Amino acid sequence: MNIFAILMLLIITLYTFGFAVTLWKEKQKTGAIAVTFFSLLIMILPFFSIFK
């Protein structure tokens, strides 16, 4: 189950980070920074709840 959760988190993180790159290329730097921060939260927060 942990492998499945890690795999899903990795896929979601990569997709979100790709969206941030797209925003950066479209000169929407504030949105790109916010989405990058959100992407980092997606990677960090599950370790406090799912993977205790």
Side-chain angles (χ1 to χ4, degrees):
M1 186 64 181
N2 282 341
I3 294 173
F4 179 72
I6 291 172
L7 183 63
M8 287 295 110
L9 288 171
L10 181 65
I11 291 170
I12 292 168
T13 303
L14 289 175
Y15 184 81
T16 306
F17 188 72
F19 180 62
V21 170
T22 303
L23 285 175
W24 189 270
K25 287 181 181 180
E26 293 178 1
K27 308 292 186 209
Q28 297 179 3
K29 300 201 186 305
T30 307
I33 291 169
V35 172
T36 302
F37 180 71
F38 180 66
S39 178
L40 291 173
L41 285 177
I42 290 172
M43 290 188 295
I44 295 169
L45 288 179
F47 290 103
F48 294 114
S49 60
I50 297 173
F51 304 118
K52 286 189 198 181

